[in-house]
Amino acid sequence: MSKKTVLKATNLAKSFGEIHVLNGLNLTLHDGEIVAILGPSGCGKSTLLRCLVGLEQPDSGELEIESHRGSEAIGYLFQKPILYPHLNVAGNIALGFEKKIPKAEQHTTIAQELSFVQMEGFEKRRVESLSGGEAQRVALVRAMLGKPEVLLLDEPFSALDLETRRTLALQTRQWLKQRSTAAIHVTHDPEEATLIADRVLTWRELFSSEEE
């Protein structure tokens, strides 16, 4: 039985002046699948994700998102967590709710999700007091509250120490699988790619018509 395709890029091309970043890129993502894209810094991985989420417009090629929500079905976790210092941890997370819900339900949900990422009792913490790993966990919880059908992860663990990277990669995989959320994770770290993904693709493989 073939898996449902949730996102497909065909012959995507993107240039910045004379620099061809994407030139005939092909990528298929299936329902509930986690794909890691492995490539060196500066090869164009972030540009690809920005095209997929709509932050950049490809010069040519086709991008198909199999959801009635369109690009709103795609969540994005940046390399550096974007947290608002005037809000505490709970306030930052609450921005991720896809619709307005009662305060009591918000508090319960936030507490449950913080518990999952081993941050019980952090609701009232100021974001400036968080470590890099804690801040990225908060950003991940916020992204997942929007119930994305596809989550794009732009090397979100790269600035963290090795042990924290491994822990977060495994936690994120577990969370995505529990929610049957498809994801594309870009990284230059082969171990990280293997820990989080069902399928690992090198950057070069994306420019082959054989990619499926």
Side-chain angles (χ1 to χ4, degrees):
M1 183 177 176
S2 61
K3 294 182 180 179
K4 175 188 172 186
T5 297
V6 293
L7 183 149
K8 187 170 185 177
T10 307
N11 292 323
L12 281 193
K14 178 66 179 178
S15 298
F16 296 97
E18 298 297 317
I19 301 173
H20 301 289
V21 181
L22 309 178
N23 191 7
L25 180 143
N26 298 287
L27 175 63
T28 301
L29 181 68
H30 300 112
D31 190 28
E33 180 185 33
I34 304 172
V35 170
I37 297 173
L38 188 60
S41 297
C43 70
K45 301 187 302 296
S46 294
T47 298
L48 168 60
L49 296 190
R50 291 175 65 83
C51 286
L52 296 180
V53 78
L55 295 175
E56 295 280 359
Q57 186 66 36
D59 298 329
S60 60
E62 291 186 24
L63 177 59
E64 302 170 58
I65 302 168
E66 296 298 325
S67 171
H68 68 278
R69 295 165 62 193
S71 60
E72 292 183 3
I74 300 179
Y76 199 114
L77 196 62
F78 292 88
Q79 193 170 58
K80 293 183 179 179
I82 299 175
L83 302 179
Y84 298 95
H86 67 287
L87 298 173
N88 60 18
V89 167
N92 271 276
I93 291 174
L95 297 174
F97 283 105
E98 62 173 344
K99 60 183 179 181
K100 202 166 184 179
I101 62 174
K103 287 287 187 183
E105 187 179 341
Q106 279 193 28
H107 293 159
T108 300
T109 300
I110 290 170
Q112 288 173 342
E113 302 296 10
L114 283 173
S115 177
F116 180 82
V117 295
Q118 300 173 2
M119 289 181 65
E120 297 93 337
F122 274 66
E123 287 90 338
K124 294 183 180 180
R125 290 278 189 97
R126 295 184 60 83
V127 296
E128 298 99 322
S129 71
L130 302 178
S131 69
E134 289 166 348
Q136 202 56 279
R137 285 181 173 96
V138 171
L140 176 62
V141 170
R142 183 178 61 197
M144 292 300 286
L145 283 181
K147 297 182 179 179
E149 294 169 45
V150 176
L151 182 64
L152 306 180
L153 300 110
D154 190 0
E155 300 203 63
F157 315 138
S158 62
L160 308 176
D161 63 84
L162 181 60
E163 184 177 351
T164 304
R165 287 208 312 269
R166 288 170 173 166
T167 299
L168 275 177
L170 290 170
Q171 277 186 340
T172 303
R173 176 180 172 81
Q174 182 184 0
W175 203 350
L176 291 166
K177 288 300 181 184
Q178 283 184 352
R179 290 158 174 76
S180 297
T181 303
I184 298 172
H185 177 81
V186 302
T187 181
H188 60 272
D189 184 340
E191 181 186 20
E192 186 179 300
T194 302
L195 285 174
I196 198 170
D198 302 314
R199 184 163 55 110
V200 178
L201 297 170
T202 65
W203 185 247
R204 181 176 295 180
E205 287 178 289
L206 299 179
F207 299 90
S208 164
S209 60
E210 303 297 319
E211 197 290 311
E212 267 303 331

